[in-house]
Amino acid sequence: QPPAANNSAAIVNAASHVPTVAAGSIASIFGSNLSSGAAIASTIPLPTTLASTSFQIGSRAAPLFFVSPSQVNLQIPWDLAGQSQASILATVGAVPSNQQSVSLAPFAPGLFTLNGSGSSQGTVMIAGTPLFAGPPSVPGSRPAHAGEFISIYGTGLGAVSNEPATGMAAQSSPLSFTTATPTVTIGGILAHVSFSGLAPGGVGLYQVNVQVPMGAPTGDAVPVILSVGGAASNTVTIAVQ
């Protein structure tokens, strides 16, 4: 087993792929020899070791969603809030990597996409349905309509009330609300935000419910952008009819 290797430039927001992350958020690390094999977490709280791989961020063991030799998805510990940088160290078996660093910010919003690219069709649901707000060509989708509510999923929206422990899922009662309310535009038009917080049952996953504004442009790829605390997300798209 060669020494684990990672590159600080490849520690990114898991949704937007931007190399700045926020406490409590989901991050991806790209590198080589990051684990001895592929494994997916099957329990909550998330484990801190998978496939003989562990990551230390600052003084905390990071909860792991997924590991493979070239990519690891993990949660940035909540108690790193307020820091601008933290050290990160991977250990595969008994072999440690070189110490790297990760850039931290109070807000580092990223919106998830269906293809994981950080752009194109967003992971955006028609509220109260199992359908994505996408064109009919996307399986399990239909366009959203003006006046309907949609649920946008992302990470890195900052501090929340009722903060769960690192690696633990958010509760549904009481809900965890973001301390800063984001703004969301759909096709350049400001949308009304009815909820912003952690998605119940998810770890590091945020949910923002908004109403599709009257007068929003129609089409299969209407841009959606979220901003919070002076930081803007990546641009994703939805279908509006």
Side-chain angles (χ1 to χ4, degrees):
Q1 173 69 49
N6 59 21
N7 185 306
S8 59
I11 304 169
V12 298
N13 180 300
S16 66
H17 299 177
V18 171
T20 300
V21 299
S25 69
I26 304 170
S28 294
I29 300 177
F30 297 96
S32 58
N33 304 318
L34 295 177
S35 77
S36 58
I40 299 174
S42 59
T43 60
I44 292 178
L46 294 176
T48 54
T49 300
L50 275 175
S52 301
T53 295
S54 62
F55 277 78
Q56 192 86 6
I57 302 179
S59 61
R60 291 294 304 272
L64 302 172
F65 294 93
F66 165 80
V67 300
S68 73
S70 60
Q71 179 179 347
V72 170
N73 295 339
L74 50 74
Q75 184 187 25
I76 303 298
W78 282 106
D79 57 7
L80 294 180
Q83 299 186 34
S84 61
Q85 195 173 65
S87 61
I88 183 165
L89 182 73
T91 302
V92 180
V95 182
S97 70
N98 294 326
Q99 184 169 284
Q100 303 285 349
S101 63
V102 58
S103 295
L104 299 166
F107 304 97
L111 304 183
F112 287 103
T113 56
L114 294 187
N115 64 9
S117 68
S119 60
S120 73
Q121 174 64 45
T123 305
V124 180
M125 311 294 294
I126 306 289
T129 80
L131 300 173
F132 294 106
S137 59
V138 176
S141 300
R142 74 156 172 83
H145 303 136
E148 276 190 318
F149 283 86
I150 57 176
S151 298
I152 303 167
Y153 292 92
T155 195
L157 275 65
V160 296
S161 62
N162 190 38
E163 181 184 291
T166 296
M168 291 293 292
Q171 298 179 338
S172 58
S173 182
L175 291 168
S176 296
F177 295 90
T178 57
T179 57
T181 301
T183 59
V184 176
T185 59
I186 298 176
I189 300 178
L190 194 64
H192 168 66
V193 175
S194 61
F195 170 77
S196 175
L198 294 178
V203 179
L205 180 67
Y206 291 74
Q207 175 181 334
V208 178
N209 296 343
V210 305
Q211 188 175 29
V212 179
M214 303 302 293
T218 59
D220 287 347
V222 177
V224 175
I225 302 173
L226 179 150
S227 298
V228 62
S233 73
N234 52 315
T235 301
V236 303
T237 63
I238 62 171
V240 178
Q241 188 177 72

